[in-house]
Amino acid sequence: MTSQAQVRTGKGEGETVGVALLGFGTVGAEVYRLLGENSEAFTHRIGGPAEIRGIAVHNKNKQRPGVPAELLTDDAKSLVLRDDIDLVVEVIGGIDYPRELVLTALNAGKSVVTANKALVAAHADELAEAAENSAVDLYFEAAVAAAIPVVGMLRRSLAGDQIQRISGIVNGTTNFILDAMESTGASYEDALAEATRLGYAEADPTADVEGHDAASKAAIMASLGFHTRVKFEDVHCEGISTITADDIEAAQEAGYSIKLLAICEHLVNEETGEESVNARVHPTLVPQEHPLASVNKSFNAIFVEAEAAGELMFYGNGAGGNPTASAVLGDLVGASRNIIHGGRAPGENAYANLPLADFGDVRTCFHINMEVADRTGVLAAISNVFADHDVSLRTVRQEDGESTARLIVVTHSAQERVLDAIVTKLGELDDVKAVNSVIRLGA
């Protein structure tokens, strides 16, 4: 390994960058196709040819039209370690096996481009250290919202600013489902079935609908935005599987859309001045006039609030073979240019090392939908619960039913643990027949 202070010299103008492609699914196949079809343009952009010299696959005997058989191998580790490989592109997915391969590549002095959000969210510190020790690049633009340039924006474009908050729709499957529920009145189950039929949802949609996919991306965004290592397990995570058509209708009536948001915040305690970082994923009521509320179908969008730049939004396709391949190839160009000309791209910089805020200390507002007894004094009893916890109400709306009433309250900002205690207490009141839903406000 090289020392951290050492900078690699380039191979030289016109030299070839040898590329190992790990994985040949939808994204890998598109990377191979686009790099081959536009080879001359890539040569000009890089300063020399980028040549795929090997493709690691699970089954090398499977027919892959247009791909020379001699490029295929089922021994990924040996491919990574070959002397004619300068750059490794990992598009396998998963964590443990790709981690082994990526670390092998970095430790052997090969730069790496990966689209693997789960890997980066779980092991960013280990991978960054290996890249630093070997003085090579680790690129992962495609790990967050595919072709939307989120990583580059946080690493470079806003490197001279202080980012205060990042909130984003970073999972196309859940956005498609929620948008379908809002636009058609469909139930969650019917919207999920439609998403599955159209190919937006996997056969097992758990990672998407329970927020795990978005949480991995939130960890990456928080780490880059606040110069603090945040891992997947540090992200508070809730999914959309409990959202009902009634929740959607109530939100619309109140002037909101429900979105699954990844929210990353730089927090400052008003009394002590202490700084901390929070990252969370949960269904969120977004005011209909906010730009994120209009993001429909399977599109993604990231809304950034920075001290000097103000408010910025990045919008586009956040998944799929072509958009993801576009991001991978953008990273390939950047890494290859450094291999040809020398130098390195900005790496991990966790200098701030801010503490992670306890989720219970995070301040938010709640939209609480209850079924209550339709009689005099109920509203007073419920209001007393909020008053006893020193939380004020922003709005109260009651809709009469046959024997019960629906009561919807929106709180002012309070700590999560306080609001949780209020919801628990409300559930214990005889006059509260059910707490139908509790959804946070945000964006």
Side-chain angles (χ1 to χ4, degrees):
M1 292 185 183
T2 60
S3 70
Q4 293 187 8
Q6 188 170 347
V7 177
R8 292 193 170 221
T9 57
K11 295 182 71 172
E13 187 81 19
E15 292 296 316
T16 299
V17 176
V19 180
L21 179 59
L22 309 184
F24 203 72
T26 302
V27 176
E30 279 302 294
V31 168
Y32 178 80
R33 181 183 70 81
L34 292 169
L35 187 60
E37 290 181 359
N38 302 292
S39 60
E40 184 176 351
F42 280 109
T43 297
H44 286 295
R45 296 170 193 177
I46 292 167
E51 179 182 287
I52 293 181
R53 290 177 168 164
I55 304 173
V57 294
H58 177 68
N59 178 11
K60 67 178 182 178
N61 296 318
K62 178 181 177 181
Q63 292 298 311
R64 295 175 174 86
V67 181
E70 60 268 22
L71 285 182
L72 302 175
T73 179
D74 54 11
D75 188 350
K77 191 169 185 179
S78 294
L79 172 61
V80 164
L81 292 172
R82 272 171 36 184
D83 291 340
D84 63 338
I85 297 300
D86 306 298
L87 173 64
V88 173
V89 176
E90 185 273 309
V91 288
I92 300 173
I95 296 180
D96 293 338
Y97 181 52
R99 169 183 168 271
E100 178 186 349
L101 295 174
V102 169
L103 283 174
T104 297
L106 294 171
N107 290 332
K110 324 282 179 134
S111 290
V112 169
V113 171
T114 179
N116 194 331
K117 56 188 170 288
L119 172 64
V120 176
H123 297 291
D125 50 352
E126 183 181 27
L127 302 180
E129 183 178 1
E132 182 69 21
N133 288 338
S134 293
V136 294
D137 284 326
L138 173 65
Y139 279 83
F140 48 88
E141 182 65 69
V144 182
I148 303 174
V150 180
V151 173
M153 173 267 294
L154 295 173
R155 268 184 162 178
R156 294 183 291 276
S157 303
L158 293 181
D161 211 333
Q162 296 292 324
I163 295 174
Q164 300 158 332
R165 194 172 192 264
I166 305 166
S167 52
I169 298 166
V170 294
N171 182 271
T173 301
T174 51
N175 201 57
F176 179 90
I177 292 170
L178 292 172
D179 182 59
M181 293 175 69
E182 182 175 303
S183 60
T184 69
S187 67
Y188 166 78
E189 291 77 14
D190 288 345
L192 173 58
E194 180 66 3
T196 303
R197 185 184 71 82
L198 294 174
Y200 292 117
E202 301 287 345
D204 179 1
T206 303
D208 292 323
V209 300
E210 297 304 334
H212 304 157
D213 173 83
S216 290
K217 296 167 184 176
I220 295 169
M221 292 190 296
S223 297
L224 294 173
F226 307 130
H227 308 287
T228 296
R229 285 176 176 166
V230 180
K231 294 190 174 185
F232 170 82
E233 57 265 29
D234 299 322
V235 181
H236 176 85
C237 183
E238 299 175 25
I240 66 166
S241 58
T242 59
I243 299 297
T244 66
D246 285 344
D247 294 328
I248 298 289
E249 181 182 2
Q252 288 179 300
E253 290 173 353
Y256 296 95
S257 289
I258 298 179
K259 300 292 185 182
L260 183 73
L261 292 191
I263 300 173
C264 311
E265 290 182 304
H266 175 212
L267 305 174
V268 180
N269 187 297
E270 294 180 358
E271 297 179 357
T272 66
E274 293 179 351
E275 299 176 85
S276 61
V277 168
N278 172 255
R280 60 190 192 271
V281 170
H282 51 65
T284 307
L285 287 164
V286 179
Q288 288 176 354
E289 64 271 16
H290 193 282
L292 287 175
S294 63
V295 178
N296 61 7
K297 299 182 180 177
S298 62
F299 283 89
N300 285 192
I302 293 88
F303 193 82
V304 180
E305 299 166 53
E307 188 176 281
E311 297 178 347
L312 307 168
M313 192 167 94
F314 302 80
Y315 170 87
N317 280 311
N322 281 348
T324 306
S326 172
V328 169
L329 287 167
D331 281 351
L332 182 147
V333 169
S336 296
R337 284 184 59 83
N338 292 337
I339 291 168
I340 293 292
H341 301 287
R344 295 177 62 207
E348 182 196 55
N349 192 336
Y351 74 90
N353 195 29
L354 297 174
L356 301 175
D358 187 301
F359 186 66
D361 293 333
V362 173
R363 299 186 68 85
T364 189
C365 305
F366 274 16
H367 177 281
I368 306 173
N369 183 338
M370 295 171 278
E371 183 183 351
V372 302
D374 190 6
R375 68 174 187 80
T376 303
V378 172
L379 181 57
I382 289 172
S383 297
N384 286 337
V385 172
F386 287 92
D388 289 344
H389 290 82
D390 200 26
V391 174
S392 60
L393 300 180
R394 182 190 296 182
T395 62
V396 178
R397 188 169 86 254
Q398 181 172 322
E399 300 174 3
D400 293 334
E402 293 183 2
S403 59
T404 60
R406 182 166 72 162
L407 188 67
I408 298 173
V409 301
V410 177
T411 73
H412 283 289
S413 176
Q415 287 184 323
E416 279 279 342
R417 62 168 50 90
V418 174
L419 291 169
D420 279 345
I422 289 173
V423 171
T424 299
K425 189 65 177 178
L426 290 173
E428 295 171 354
L429 295 180
D430 290 338
D431 286 330
V432 175
K433 304 305 179 184
V435 177
N436 296 323
S437 66
V438 180
I439 304 175
R440 298 171 184 84
L441 278 68

